[in-house]
Amino acid sequence: MHIPAKSDVPRYVIGVMAFNTLIAAALTAFGNEGFGTNLVFSQCIGLLTYAAIDLPRRRLWPRGAPALVPMIVLVLLAAPFSWFGGSFLAMLLLGEPSRFGHLGLNAMLGFLALTAGAGLGGTFVFWSRERLAHSERVAAEARLKLLQAQIEPHFLFNTLANLQALIASDPARAQMMLGHLDAYLRATLASTRKDLCTLEEEFALLRGYLEILAIRMGPRLAYSLDLPDALAGAKLPPMLLQPLVENAIKHGLEPKIDGGKLRVAASADGKQLILAVEDDGLGFGAASTRGTGVGLLHV
């Protein structure tokens, strides 16, 4: 399960402080001290409870949150430490003498139970939200893997048809095309098993794809791949550019009688990576080039 990023901590702390304020208001309504005193105690105990749960959780389960039962055990272990430590801190802030000796066993157990209950309630809310976010992330990653595993049938069937024709008329070119197809399919399969790839790997995949098309389309296709050495190691989702290049060929250059030029380029603007796929084909306005838009939507 996904452990929340450090950037989530301020949002969680604000939520804990709001919850602590509600507890202070409830204690005041039942006639236990004034609101100011209750607020100081509630914030000290509540924030220490959050820290005593969240910090060990990140240390013990760095790759994912545990199941619900270990989380409950962690909360129950953190509750006594948080109540005693938070109460002591609140008394220091308020300049009050120690109250522990005057509370009595029943009152102490009641406050410990309140601390544990509040910790369990807050933890369950955060745990449920993280579980839902994790499920949505897994579903999104599964859809991405499915898209990455798909090979454009239009490309594959046309390539196989060309291979069949070339075997009889030009065995050397057929062998060359088969070699490029083999390398392309192997690279595609390897890419689908990764969460991230480098631009160098992505451009190598595109080169194999375009080499096959160059044999198929002949002089109707001219292409260039511009990747500066400084950006070769940049990371991105695998096959992110593939649908764009396929669209440029299928809807832009292939329907054009005299073909055209395709350019794929990477550049940087400060910390932003800019990837461009350009062609001088028929363009989006031509009726014969209209697709479903699904490919662009997925990208």
Side-chain angles (χ1 to χ4, degrees):
M1 181 179 292
H2 169 60
I3 284 286
K6 291 182 179 179
S7 59
D8 294 328
V9 172
R11 179 164 55 88
Y12 284 0
V13 169
I14 292 172
V16 170
M17 293 179 69
F19 186 59
N20 295 340
T21 303
L22 290 176
I23 293 177
L27 290 173
T28 305
F30 284 103
N32 183 62
E33 302 287 354
F35 178 72
T37 300
N38 285 331
L39 183 64
V40 173
F41 272 88
S42 181
Q43 294 294 357
C44 289
I45 295 172
L47 289 173
L48 189 58
T49 301
Y50 170 73
I53 295 170
D54 195 55
L55 293 177
R57 177 176 70 148
R58 292 173 185 271
R59 180 73 67 173
L60 294 172
W61 298 283
R63 296 185 180 276
L68 187 58
V69 172
M71 284 299 301
I72 292 174
V73 173
L74 180 59
V75 172
L76 294 178
L77 291 175
F81 164 78
S82 302
W83 183 76
F84 281 105
S87 297
F88 181 74
L89 179 59
M91 287 183 280
L92 285 179
L93 292 175
L94 293 171
E96 295 183 356
S98 173
R99 300 184 180 186
F100 295 126
H102 307 288
L103 281 177
L105 180 60
N106 289 337
M108 191 176 296
L109 290 176
F111 283 120
L112 281 172
L114 177 62
T115 302
L120 287 171
T123 298
F124 181 75
V125 170
F126 290 142
W127 183 85
S128 299
R129 293 179 61 182
E130 289 166 18
R131 189 178 185 87
L132 178 61
H134 173 72
S135 299
E136 292 173 348
R137 178 180 176 84
V138 168
E141 289 177 347
R143 289 195 298 269
L144 179 61
K145 290 293 185 183
L146 178 62
L147 291 172
Q148 290 169 347
Q150 292 175 349
I151 300 172
E152 172 61 54
H154 168 82
F155 160 74
L156 189 57
F157 293 151
N158 281 354
T159 301
L160 292 175
N162 273 104
L163 265 175
Q164 189 175 22
L166 286 174
I167 288 173
S169 62
D170 194 339
R173 287 182 66 200
Q175 190 172 8
M176 186 184 303
M177 178 180 278
L178 188 59
H180 288 308
L181 181 61
D182 177 71
Y184 171 74
L185 293 178
R186 288 177 184 273
T188 300
L189 184 61
S191 294
T192 61
R193 295 173 178 172
K194 298 180 181 179
D195 292 327
L196 292 173
C197 71
T198 64
L199 264 182
E200 184 175 21
E201 292 170 331
E202 183 79 353
F203 271 61
L205 182 68
L206 293 178
R207 187 178 301 279
Y209 173 74
L210 291 170
E211 282 292 337
I212 295 171
L213 290 174
I215 295 174
R216 228 180 65 197
M217 295 177 63
R220 294 177 59 239
L221 174 63
Y223 74 88
S224 64
L225 299 174
D226 301 330
L227 175 61
D229 292 338
L231 299 178
K235 298 297 182 73
L236 75 165
M239 301 183 72
L240 182 69
L241 293 175
Q242 181 78 11
L244 301 179
V245 173
E246 287 180 1
N247 273 355
I249 297 292
K250 182 178 179 180
H251 301 299
L253 299 180
E254 268 193 331
K256 191 177 177 183
I257 295 176
D258 54 350
K261 297 177 182 178
L262 174 74
R263 176 176 177 264
V264 183
S267 60
D269 183 4
K271 293 184 178 180
Q272 187 173 26
L273 177 65
I274 300 174
L275 302 173
V277 178
E278 305 169 346
D279 70 88
D280 60 355
L282 295 180
F284 287 103
S288 62
T289 67
R290 290 176 187 166
T292 62
V294 173
L296 291 178
L297 180 62
H298 286 159
V299 172

